[in-house]
Every structure is written in C-alpha cells, then in structure tokens.
Amino acid sequence: MTQAASPAYRGIIPPIITPLKDRDTLDVAGLERLVEHMLGGGVHGIFALGTTGEAPSLSYRLRREMVERTCKLVAGRVPVLVGITDTSFVESVELARFSAEQGVKAVVLSAPYYFPVGQPELVEYVEDLVPELPLPVFLYNMPSHTKVTFELDTVRRAMQLPGVVGLKDSSGNMVYYHQLVRELAQRPDWSLLVGPEELLGESVLLGGHGGVCGGANLCPRLYVALYEAAVRNDVHRVMELHAQVMRISCTVYKVGRYGSAFIKSVKCALSVLGICDDFLAEPFHRFREQERERVGAFLTEFGITRDRAWPAAANLVS
Amino acid sequence: MTQAASPAYRGIIPPIITPLKDRDTLDVAGLERLVEHMLGGGVHGIFALGTTGEAPSLSYRLRREMVERTCKLVAGRVPVLVGITDTSFVESVELARFSAEQGVKAVVLSAPYYFPVGQPELVEYVEDLVPELPLPVFLYNMPSHTKVTFELDTVRRAMQLPGVVGLKDSSGNMVYYHQLVRELAQRPDWSLLVGPEELLGESVLLGGHGGVCGGANLCPRLYVALYEAAVRNDVHRVMELHAQVMRISCTVYKVGRYGSAFIKSVKCALSVLGICDDFLAEPFHRFREQERERVGAFLTEFGITRDRAWPAAANLVS
Amino acid sequence: MTQAASPAYRGIIPPIITPLKDRDTLDVAGLERLVEHMLGGGVHGIFALGTTGEAPSLSYRLRREMVERTCKLVAGRVPVLVGITDTSFVESVELARFSAEQGVKAVVLSAPYYFPVGQPELVEYVEDLVPELPLPVFLYNMPSHTKVTFELDTVRRAMQLPGVVGLKDSSGNMVYYHQLVRELAQRPDWSLLVGPEELLGESVLLGGHGGVCGGANLCPRLYVALYEAAVRNDVHRVMELHAQVMRISCTVYKVGRYGSAFIKSVKCALSVLGICDDFLAEPFHRFREQERERVGAFLTEFGITRDRAWPAAANLVS
Amino acid sequence: MTQAASPAYRGIIPPIITPLKDRDTLDVAGLERLVEHMLGGGVHGIFALGTTGEAPSLSYRLRREMVERTCKLVAGRVPVLVGITDTSFVESVELARFSAEQGVKAVVLSAPYYFPVGQPELVEYVEDLVPELPLPVFLYNMPSHTKVTFELDTVRRAMQLPGVVGLKDSSGNMVYYHQLVRELAQRPDWSLLVGPEELLGESVLLGGHGGVCGGANLCPRLYVALYEAAVRNDVHRVMELHAQVMRISCTVYKVGRYGSAFIKSVKCALSVLGICDDFLAEPFHRFREQERERVGAFLTEFGITRDRAWPAAANLVS
C-alpha cells in the first residue's frame, strides 16, 4: 500500500436520484438532463445507487442499467461512485465488478441491512468483502436505515485495510463525526464526507472534506458554493448559504411525511423544473397534485429554476 | 373470492435453514437429509427463504435453486411456502412467479426493510403488491429486522384483500398477538402463526393456529407434539414440552452472541448430527470449534439425535 | 436466610390508582370506596404507588399520605405493597422506612429512571439498596418507563440476596418471562408476577404466580376468576375470561392516545361508576366529555357496574 | 411583557457538578473551591441541579442545600440557574419557589421523565407549569434521558409563553439545532444554548448563543475561549480549541463505560486536582484506583491544573 498524502475525494459528490418512468424503466432522457444539470452546477463527483437513488428498491437489472448509463453520460468529467450495499455478499461483489467494467472509480459500502450484526461481525464482514472488490471502497455510516453504526473501533480496524479510501457519515451525530476527524489523523489519505446537507457547513469548517448532499440534485451550485466558502473559512458566507440550505430543508423537504419525504420532494421538484420524471419505486409513490403545488410554490418563492445560476445574490436573504 | 370456513394452514411450518457448502453453493445432499428429517418429524409444511433461511444473505440465483430443489424434495407431501420479502418490488414479484412455477403453495411477505415506511405507505405497498402475485400471501410481522410493525389498522386493511390468507407474527409481543386473535373473528379463513417457538404453547392454547418454529429444523417432533398437546388443551403436556423448548432456548441458542446466535446454533447442531453443513452466508460465520463442542455437549445431554424419536419419555424432566 | 418452600405472594395484586381531587389532594372518600370495591372482588393484595398509581407524578407528601391511608383502610385484610422506585436512593430508603411503620408488607423496586445505567451498575444499585430496606423487596422489570431491563444475569445476582422475594415483569416479553420461570427453579420461594393483564392467563398456566393487573381496579373479580381458572388448568374457562380481558383492553383502553391512555381510561371508568374522582396528576389530564361518554358506553355495553358481581355468566360471550 | 431586543443569556453557563462527601452530604468546602475555580475561568453563569449535577439522584433536602449554598458562594457575580425538571409537578413548583427566594435568576425545565408523554401532553404540561413559576424558564431538550423530544411544533407553542426565555438543546442533533435557529427569528430575545461541548464551536459559529458545557467544571477557560473565538468568527482559533475539547472528550471521558462515564470522569478529575470530593450518588460510584490513575495521567499529559491558566499556548498542539 502506498498512502496518498491527502484525500482523493473532496467537495460535493451528490447521491443522484434514479429518474424512473415506471417501477422498472429508467427515464433515460431525464437522467441525461439531470447529469448535465448537476455537472453544470460544479459538483465534484456523482454517487449513484445510494439511499437517495432508491437503490434497494430497484431491480438488479435496473441498477446495472443506471450504472452503465450514468458512466456514459458523465464520460469521465467527474468520478462516478456506486453504492454496492446489499444484504447479499455475492450481489455486492457482482455489482462492484460490473461497476469497475463501466469505469466507476469507487464503491460505497454500508452494513448489510436485514440482520442486525454485532460490531465484531461487522468488522469481519468488511474484512471479508473489501479484498473481493476491484475498486476502492468508501464506508457508509447510515444507522437510521441499516440499524447498525460503524463504531469507532470498527473504523479503526477498517483503517488497516488498504482498499478503503474514506467514510461517508450520514448518522447526523456530529460528536461522532468529530471523533472521526480525530481518528483520521492516522489515515490522511481518507476522505471524510458528511451526509446531511444541513451539516455541510460546520463539517467542512471543522475538518471534513465535503458532503454527499441530496439537495445538490436540485441546486448543485448552492452546495458547491457553501463547500467552497467553508474551505476558505469565510464564515460570513457560510452562514448566508447555510441559511439557504436550512430554508429549503425546513420547507421543501417538509411537504411530505415519514422518512420518504426527502426523496419525494427532490424528485417532485426536479419534475416541476422539467428535468426528469418523479416516479418513485415502491414502497413509495410520487406526491399528489396538492403536495406538488406546494413544492412548486416554494421553488417559485425561492427563485429556484433549472436554467438560472443559483444561488444568486438576490436570494441571499433567508 | 370464496372464503374458506377455516384456516388452510395449521400446525408446525418450520422456516427451513438453507444448507450451504460455501457462500453461493447449496449443500444439496444436506438439504435432502434435512427435508426428510423434518418431514419424518411430522411437520405440517416447509417455509423456505425466511429469516432462519438467511434469504436476504443469498444471491438471487441461489434463492431460486433453493426453491426449486425444496419443492422437488418435498414432492407435495406437505405445502411449501416461500419468503418473497425484498426491498425491491420487482424482485418480489419475480420470485413469487418463479415459486408458483415450482409448485409452491403460498408466499410470505414482510415489509420492505431498507427504507422505514409509514403505516399508510405500508398499506399501499401491500395493496399494490398482492394483486401482482400469483399465489396466496401470508403477511409476516417482523419488526426486529424490518423496523416496521404491521399495526392493527394495517392488518384490518389487509383483511379486505382476497389474496391474503394469514399472518405470521414474529414480534414476540403477545399483547399484540391477542389483539390479532380478536381481529381474526373477521376473517376465520386466515391462519395466525406465531414466530418465536418459546411462545408456541400459549399462542395455540389461546387461539392461534400454529408456529413457524426454527427449532423444528433440529427437533421437529418436539414442536409437533407441543402443538398437538395445545390443540387438545392438554395443559400438563404443554408444560412438559414447553419446558423442553425453553431448555433448548436457554442453552443451545445462547452459545453464540448477537442476533445471529440462533441461526448459528441451529446450523451447528444440524452439522453435529450429520444432517448438513454449517456454513453461513456473510455477514455471519459458522461457530468455531469451542462453540461447536458446547453445542454438541448440549445435544448429548438432552439426548437429541438424528435418528431417534424425540422427545422421548426419558427426556421429559427438564 | 431461611428459604420458604413456596412463594409468599400469589394471585391478583392490583396496582391501585391514586384517587385525586386535585394535583396535591387525595380523594379520601374515593380511596375508601375503591379499596372496598377491590377487596370485595377478592384481590389477594394491594400494590400502592406503582406506575398505575402515578407515583412519580405525586408530591412526596402525598405519596406518604397514600401509603398511610391505604394501610388503614385495608387494615390487614390483604398485604399492602408499596412502590419505592425513585431516582434518589435516599428518598427510596425513606419511603421504605415510612412504609414499614405503616404496616406495609413488601416494597417494589425498579431501576432508577433518569440516568440510563449499565447492568453492572444496576446490580450494584440493587446490592447497595436492598440491605438498607426494612422490608422484603420485589424487583420490578419495567423497561418501557425506566429504559433499562433487569437482564437475566442481573436477576441471577439478585437471587443471591436474602431480602428479595420476587419479581414483577411488566416488559410484555414472554420469551424473557419464560426464561425467568426457568431461573426460578433456584429460588422456589420467589413470586413471579406478570404486569400486562393481557398476559395473565398464559403466564399463570405456564408457571407464574399471579398478576399485577391494572384493570382489577375496575373489574377485580374478572382477574381473580381468570387467575383461579389458570391455577386449576381450566383452559376453556381461561379462554372465556381472557377474551373478556382482551375485549376491555381493545376498547376501553383505546379511547385515549399515547402511553397515558390506560391510566386515563381506568380513572375515567371508576369515576363513571361513582367510585372515585378521575383527576390525573400532571403531565396528564382527565378525559374530556367526549372520551368519557365513550368509556361510559363501553361500561354499559359490557355490563360493568360497581355493585354487580362481574363477570357474570351473561357476559361471557365476547 | 416587554421583549428584550436580544438574548439575556450568552456564553458558557456550565452545569455544575454537585460535590458530595457521601450520598446525602454536600462537600461544602469543595463546592466553594469549585465555584471559585469556575468563576476564575470566566464562565458567564452557573447552572445547578442539571444532569451533570446528578440532580435526580439527590434527596430533595440536599437539592435545596445545593441551591442555597451555590447562590451564597456565587454572590451575584454571575447569574445562577437551577434545574427543576421533575416527574412531580408539585415538586418542580416548590423547588422553583425556593430557588427564587435564594436569588436564582432562571429555572431550567425538561420533560417529566417517567411517563412517556405525547407532544400535545408536553405542550399542555409546559403551558400549565410555566405560569406557576416565579422565575424565567429555559426549556431543556434532553431526549436521551427523558425519552421525549421538544418537537418543533411544541417549541413554537412555547414561544407564545412570555415566561420562557430560551432553550438548551442537549439532543446532539445539529439538524434539529439549525431548525431551532431558524425558528428563533420569531423570538430574538430567546437564548439558544447547546449541551454537548463537542458542538460548542459550530453551534456558536452558526447562530447559537453559548453552551452548557460540563467540561467547564474542569477547564472553564477552554470553553470560554472557544466561545469567544466563535463569537468573533475566528475559525482558525475555533479549530485549535475545538481540537482540545475533542482531545479531552476522546480520552478523559472515555475512561469509564456506560452513560455515567462523563460525570464520573469529571468528578474524578476535580478530585485529582484537589478541588472537591469525587463521591457520586447512587446509582453510580466513583472510579476505582485504576481508572483514577488513567484520569490523572491524562491531566498531566495535557497540562490541566487547578491553578494554571489553561488553555495555554503550549497546549495548542493536539
């Protein structure tokens, strides 16, 4: 193993939603518009088949199609990462191999999410799986959905593995996050990315390398601008942009109920903007007309459009 | 729909373990011995690809092989049920169709287990999925692994659906179970089966129709005898046999740690008895030699053997 | 320590509600009527200052008044037990001493409920506290409110302490309960009582000694009759009476929402019957008129009255 | 009510530990040294009888003594706040009245922590209690110990109450915290304080008013310095001091296990420094010699002393 001096992955690497025409049909034209929308906003990578991408709800055939088409559309302009989290070890390995063939740069791995595993079992799992994978691996801490946390001792063990290049933390627990920052003094080549976009500002100010912001499907420039302000320690600008992030979070993402509200509202907003279809794979369904109108009204109020450069100066009063 | 006057499924319908030679290879000879062991013990059905069958940990190819071979081996002697619970709607439907072609009699469906769903979302999911399935459906309440409960109102909604024929409750919550018994006055054709074998006696005494007892992989006659004693209200015999169930539960199943202890010990015990291999799919691993010896010592102490009729009178002092 | 040959406490020992005129005033006349109502129904003991008694919501002065008056009213006809669970060790000891002076027979102790304690801390706590108490001690497993379970190893440790005479399990987890039954082979003098009245039948059929049924404030004879049927293994009668328990549980106790629904409806029903006031200490409030009418309608429908012998034969069809 | 234009409480208002000689005896001399140590470090207030103060574990007599003596020792140099959270409404009111007589400036109120309450019940509780209190009220969000969160709608309702002056959030959930910041545009006179000291830097940088840092019992200057750096947007200095906070958090506070580790290590460290006794009220116990030596070694390594100005420049390399 040759350790890199610094993290390979920095910046905004959004978890791209999976545009669907129906439960097993990709919205191919929508995907193309979405990729261009996000790259046009300056994102530093694309993460396909994450939670926001509804990966576990998709057929394996569709997951492969999504990987293949995303890689072709991105065409090397930024790195593509692919989520291979699965309850089945064999399916994780196969998806990683397929991804490598398509030009994916790294895979993202959370805990298997049906059986609740103990930490020693999780350590063994990572140690068994990483050597089978043909690509660098991001660990993905996502206890709200997988029921298991990558505890610090487990992360320390994973730091011994040459194939792991970073960790994405979606726990929302910033005490844990700061503990990770401390641990990463041991692996300066690891990237530490934060999941919840509401925590992007502080996480980058205090030692992180970027965020996997779902909202960057919609407003990629906002998160890129926030990341850049944090990197240059411009606290005043961080506060302005963070207030915009919170404004979206407290309005658009609250149109729905339950854990699905976030994905539904992002897909709905993209549909309102004419970027892609808002079909959701079961167990979810797109918003009905009433919710769609509320989402649309927020987009109008905030001046969020497909074409316009956003955030614009005029939007900075939250 | 023609409603049956009484439940179609009664008795002990064990969740068969999936005998493995390695992570993607079925132990075919072991499966044959296991099926004969269980049928020889008098079980009333076989439930393949449940939690105890490690279904979520297996590749889709292996899941299909397991369904196909189990149906051939059982050869219609008892009904075969198959778990189709999945995070992907499309994969659930496809496995159900494949199962129907193999001669499976019913499918078992829990909540999709990655995204935490609200109850209205769960209702919609069941209402969307059941009509797509070519076989009768058992609902499967398994909140410890799926993170979501089939709440009573949701069960009431499902009672409107002609395709649903029963519910398996693995919550371990007997207050909820008794509420279900009350609700089932509305659907006397539904079968209500209990998951945890430690609750088999009381659940059948107080109105249930049987159990999906994992321990019946190992000692099928014990659970069949307990079920029969409960059906004939023989409380004295229920207590004797229940004490044996608890003796196994408090010893053999406690050799390991974490949620995986149960599956590991059952597979280990079957291996000790020469029935099948004890390989476990990741994220789990078989017991090491030390634990295996402890399991073996318990089997010897309790007189549990492959060939012998068990429970025998001599074993009834716990 | 001289071990008794058999448990000292058997039968129905209801957690008496605390009749209040306002937040710091006991409804003394109501308490007298309630005690006579319960003793007239044949209960085997009275447990004051439990969860159903709203103990943690009362001032310390009022708790002492409740103990003093209850002892005087019961006047030795059945044993009085008092809950001393508290976050403060010193207050627990003082209440136990006061209780002993009033003629209380045993105290009931759960885990201190503010700080989440580890199991070794809970063991130490019990080992520290029991020797300071002038009365025999029941342990009280109540994880829904205290956030900590008396795990089996902790119960085993407590079995070494001469001062402990039993355990009340309100976890609702019958697998755990059956494990306790097994453990109690080591302490045949311990009483094992179950909390949720919906589990009374099966727990006594399968080895328990009785129940701490909140509903016995309202219908003491029902729970006494169910207990007696279970003791004599009369499964048919157990099912009849258990069905009545479930009918009340699924109707009267569901009039309200949240965890407080049970206490509110029991107090409301007692008020409707003219037994005592239905004031609740904060953070709760009595039902409003609409809910009160629904409770009253259920009482009428089920033929539950203050004076009448209940359950009567006519009520046995649920 | 005349609304102040800006929050009355800003800065570091530590939750003072309660120095004990035994379970019901205050370490009076230790309390005096501790108060001087903290005031000497520049703290902006003292919060007595919080979680860190072990309030729920103390007798009511001792709680009153602690309030009385703390007020006398502080002697008006900074405001004293007192926690009145209790399961009993009556006891909360009485402690508030006593506190007012002693010169306390505000009381701190979390949810009653035995019965799990629904949000409408929590709203009613706050609306009932606040008018009974003779002092301004801080709400205290502490779901890890009380089992209930002050959800946003509940906070909005509390914003209608003139007597409430702020909120202390110990949830550790920074997404929630940022939502609170947004809400507080409606009540610019409210103070928003953060509980976990690991989040002090980011919370003040992004709109909060200070912190209730338990570690400020030990190193008051560190937290005061961090607060001041954040107020002046000095991100470089925030990072240096935040790294020191994390160093302590990841070492000293990890000497013990379970939730009690933090209080035990702070009391132990104060004892090692000769400031006060390290006795803990049950259910906890002071560290044994081995843990004490580890705490002492960390203090030496980090140069933390009673007398010395700390943080000193030499300590800024973490």
Side-chain angles (χ1 to χ4, degrees), chain B:
Chain B
M1 165 177 75
T2 312
Q3 278 204 3
S6 66
Y9 295 92
R10 291 175 179 272
I12 302 301
I13 305 178
I16 190 169
I17 62 108
T18 304
L20 294 172
K21 292 185 99 67
D22 64 39
R23 76 169 63 115
D24 205 24
T25 308
L26 203 59
D27 173 8
V28 177
L31 178 61
E32 180 168 0
R33 283 188 297 269
L34 179 59
V35 166
E36 294 310 316
H37 176 68
M38 293 167 77
L39 292 185
V43 302
H44 306 86
I46 295 275
F47 167 38
L49 297 184
T51 302
T52 302
E54 298 173 84
S57 304
L58 307 176
S59 73
Y60 282 79
R61 186 206 61 69
L62 185 58
R63 293 185 214 185
R64 281 168 171 71
E65 184 184 353
M66 178 66 186
V67 172
E68 183 180 355
R69 289 191 185 273
T70 301
C71 287
K72 282 194 180 134
L73 291 167
V74 171
R77 288 177 285 176
V78 297
V80 175
L81 289 74
V82 165
I84 60 163
T85 307
D86 204 292
T87 56
S88 164
F89 189 102
V90 171
E91 300 291 353
S92 287
V93 172
E94 290 190 4
L95 185 57
R97 289 179 184 161
F98 178 84
S99 296
E101 292 163 8
Q102 306 302 315
V104 165
K105 295 297 182 203
V107 292
V108 180
L109 177 70
S110 192
Y113 44 86
Y114 184 74
F115 291 110
V117 295
Q119 290 294 311
E121 292 172 333
L122 182 58
V123 167
E124 272 190 316
Y125 174 78
V126 172
E127 291 177 348
D128 287 346
L129 184 52
V130 167
E132 302 277 336
L133 300 176
L135 289 172
V137 179
F138 260 87
L139 300 182
Y140 177 14
N141 188 42
M142 182 61 166
S144 61
H145 287 62
T146 64
K147 297 181 294 270
V148 60
T149 289
F150 280 88
E151 293 183 4
L152 283 186
D153 278 342
T154 299
V155 175
R156 279 182 205 117
R157 290 286 294 273
M159 283 182 176
Q160 312 303 319
L161 299 173
V164 186
V165 296
L167 188 145
K168 172 193 172 188
D169 178 29
S170 290
S171 70
N173 179 340
M174 287 304 286
V175 176
Y176 170 83
Y177 185 89
H178 294 312
Q179 292 167 334
L180 289 175
V181 170
R182 247 181 87 82
E183 293 296 331
L184 260 53
Q186 307 303 315
R187 277 290 297 259
D189 59 318
W190 269 35
S191 297
L192 180 59
L193 304 179
V194 77
E197 57 199 67
E198 297 86 351
L199 307 175
L200 175 63
E202 65 213 86
S203 65
V204 174
L205 280 176
L206 293 174
H209 304 114
V212 183
C213 309
N217 282 274
L218 186 59
C219 308
R221 288 197 190 185
L222 171 60
Y223 301 90
V224 170
L226 176 49
Y227 165 73
E228 291 171 348
V231 165
R232 65 176 187 267
N233 281 352
D234 181 348
V235 178
H236 183 68
R237 182 74 175 158
V238 166
M239 285 197 67
E240 285 175 336
L241 295 168
H242 169 72
Q244 292 198 39
V245 169
M246 290 311 300
R247 188 174 57 170
I248 295 171
S249 174
C250 292
T251 55
V252 181
Y253 303 162
K254 299 300 183 209
V255 168
R257 302 170 63 193
Y258 313 117
S260 59
F262 172 72
I263 301 178
K264 284 182 183 178
S265 62
V266 170
K267 279 203 152 177
C268 179
L270 290 170
S271 168
V272 169
L273 296 187
I275 293 177
C276 64
D277 202 328
D278 63 348
F279 189 93
L280 280 98
E282 287 90 353
F284 301 132
H285 289 85
R286 72 179 92 199
F287 279 148
R288 285 159 303 180
E289 195 52 33
Q290 191 180 6
E291 284 91 1
R292 184 179 173 94
E293 282 171 12
R294 290 184 58 204
V295 169
F298 284 129
L299 297 184
T300 303
E301 179 185 346
F302 302 158
I304 299 175
T305 62
R306 178 177 162 194
D307 305 309
R308 186 172 157 210
W310 199 85
N315 290 297
L316 287 178
V317 186
S318 68

Side-chain angles (χ1 to χ4, degrees), chain A residues 114-162:
Chain A
Y114 185 75
F115 291 109
V117 295
Q119 290 294 310
E121 291 173 332
L122 183 58
V123 167
E124 272 191 316
Y125 175 78
V126 172
E127 290 177 348
D128 286 346
L129 185 52
V130 168
E132 303 278 334
L133 301 175
L135 289 171
V137 179
F138 259 87
L139 300 182
Y140 176 14
N141 189 43
M142 183 60 166
S144 63
H145 287 61
T146 65
K147 298 181 292 272
V148 59
T149 290
F150 281 88
E151 294 183 3
L152 282 185
D153 279 341
T154 299
V155 175
R156 278 181 204 118
R157 290 286 293 275
M159 283 182 175
Q160 312 303 318
L161 299 174

Side-chain angles (χ1 to χ4, degrees), chain A residues 138-303:
Chain A
F138 259 87
L139 300 182
Y140 176 14
N141 189 43
M142 183 60 166
S144 63
H145 287 61
T146 65
K147 298 181 292 272
V148 59
T149 290
F150 281 88
E151 294 183 3
L152 282 185
D153 279 341
T154 299
V155 175
R156 278 181 204 118
R157 290 286 293 275
M159 283 182 175
Q160 312 303 318
L161 299 174
V164 186
V165 297
L167 189 145
K168 172 191 171 189
D169 177 30
S170 291
S171 70
N173 180 340
M174 287 305 285
V175 175
Y176 170 83
Y177 186 88
H178 294 312
Q179 291 168 336
L180 288 175
V181 170
R182 247 182 87 82
E183 293 296 330
L184 260 52
Q186 307 303 314
R187 279 290 297 260
D189 59 319
W190 270 34
S191 297
L192 180 59
L193 304 179
V194 77
E197 57 201 66
E198 296 87 351
L199 307 176
L200 176 63
E202 64 212 86
S203 65
V204 175
L205 280 176
L206 292 174
H209 305 113
V212 182
C213 309
N217 281 275
L218 186 58
C219 308
R221 288 198 189 182
L222 171 59
Y223 302 89
V224 170
L226 175 49
Y227 165 75
E228 291 171 348
V231 165
R232 64 175 188 266
N233 282 352
D234 181 348
V235 177
H236 182 67
R237 183 73 176 156
V238 166
M239 284 198 68
E240 285 174 335
L241 296 168
H242 167 73
Q244 293 199 39
V245 170
M246 290 311 300
R247 187 174 58 171
I248 295 171
S249 173
C250 293
T251 55
V252 182
Y253 304 163
K254 299 299 182 209
V255 169
R257 302 171 63 195
Y258 312 118
S260 59
F262 172 72
I263 301 178
K264 285 182 183 178
S265 62
V266 171
K267 278 203 153 178
C268 179
L270 290 170
S271 168
V272 169
L273 297 187
I275 293 177
C276 63
D277 201 327
D278 62 350
F279 189 93
L280 280 97
E282 288 89 356
F284 301 131
H285 289 86
R286 71 179 91 200
F287 279 147
R288 286 160 302 181
E289 195 52 34
Q290 191 180 6
E291 284 90 0
R292 183 180 174 94
E293 282 170 14
R294 291 184 58 205
V295 169
F298 284 129
L299 297 183
T300 302
E301 179 186 347
F302 303 157

Side-chain angles (χ1 to χ4, degrees), chain D residues 33 36-37 40-41 218 220-221 273-275 303-310:
Chain D
R33 284 188 295 269
E36 294 310 316
H37 177 68
L218 186 60
R221 288 199 190 183
L273 296 187
I275 292 176
I304 299 175
T305 63
R306 177 177 162 193
D307 306 308
R308 184 170 160 212
W310 198 85

Side-chain angles (χ1 to χ4, degrees), chain D residues 42-105:
Chain D
V43 302
H44 305 87
I46 296 274
F47 167 39
L49 297 184
T51 302
T52 302
E54 298 173 85
S57 304
L58 307 176
S59 74
Y60 282 79
R61 186 205 60 71
L62 185 57
R63 292 184 215 185
R64 281 168 171 72
E65 184 184 352
M66 178 67 186
V67 171
E68 185 180 353
R69 290 192 186 274
T70 302
C71 286
K72 282 195 181 133
L73 291 166
V74 170
R77 289 176 284 175
V78 297
V80 174
L81 289 74
V82 165
I84 61 162
T85 307
D86 204 292
T87 56
S88 164
F89 188 102
V90 172
E91 300 290 354
S92 287
V93 172
E94 290 190 4
L95 185 57
R97 288 179 185 160
F98 178 85
S99 296
E101 292 162 9
Q102 305 303 314
V104 165
K105 294 298 182 203

Side-chain angles (χ1 to χ4, degrees), chain C residues 86-282:
Chain C
D86 203 293
T87 56
S88 164
F89 188 102
V90 171
E91 300 291 354
S92 287
V93 172
E94 290 190 4
L95 186 57
R97 288 179 185 160
F98 178 83
S99 297
E101 291 163 7
Q102 305 303 315
V104 165
K105 295 298 182 202
V107 291
V108 180
L109 177 70
S110 191
Y113 44 85
Y114 184 73
F115 291 110
V117 294
Q119 289 295 310
E121 291 172 333
L122 182 57
V123 167
E124 272 190 315
Y125 175 78
V126 172
E127 289 177 348
D128 286 346
L129 184 52
V130 167
E132 303 278 336
L133 300 175
L135 288 172
V137 180
F138 260 87
L139 300 181
Y140 177 14
N141 188 42
M142 182 61 166
S144 61
H145 287 61
T146 64
K147 297 181 294 268
V148 59
T149 291
F150 280 89
E151 293 183 3
L152 282 186
D153 279 342
T154 299
V155 175
R156 278 181 205 119
R157 290 286 294 273
M159 283 183 175
Q160 312 302 320
L161 299 174
V164 186
V165 297
L167 189 145
K168 172 192 171 187
D169 177 31
S170 291
S171 69
N173 179 340
M174 288 303 287
V175 176
Y176 170 82
Y177 186 88
H178 294 312
Q179 291 167 336
L180 288 175
V181 171
R182 246 182 89 81
E183 293 296 331
L184 259 52
Q186 307 303 315
R187 277 291 297 260
D189 60 318
W190 269 35
S191 296
L192 179 59
L193 304 179
V194 77
E197 57 201 65
E198 296 87 351
L199 306 176
L200 176 62
E202 64 211 86
S203 64
V204 175
L205 280 176
L206 293 174
H209 306 113
V212 183
C213 309
N217 282 274
L218 185 59
C219 308
R221 288 199 189 182
L222 171 59
Y223 302 90
V224 170
L226 175 48
Y227 165 73
E228 291 171 349
V231 165
R232 63 176 188 267
N233 281 351
D234 182 347
V235 177
H236 182 67
R237 182 74 175 157
V238 166
M239 285 198 66
E240 284 174 336
L241 296 167
H242 168 73
Q244 293 199 39
V245 169
M246 290 311 301
R247 189 175 54 170
I248 295 172
S249 173
C250 293
T251 55
V252 183
Y253 304 162
K254 299 298 181 211
V255 168
R257 302 170 64 193
Y258 313 120
S260 60
F262 172 73
I263 302 178
K264 285 182 183 178
S265 62
V266 170
K267 279 203 152 177
C268 179
L270 290 170
S271 169
V272 169
L273 296 187
I275 293 177
C276 63
D277 202 327
D278 63 347
F279 188 93
L280 280 97
E282 289 89 354

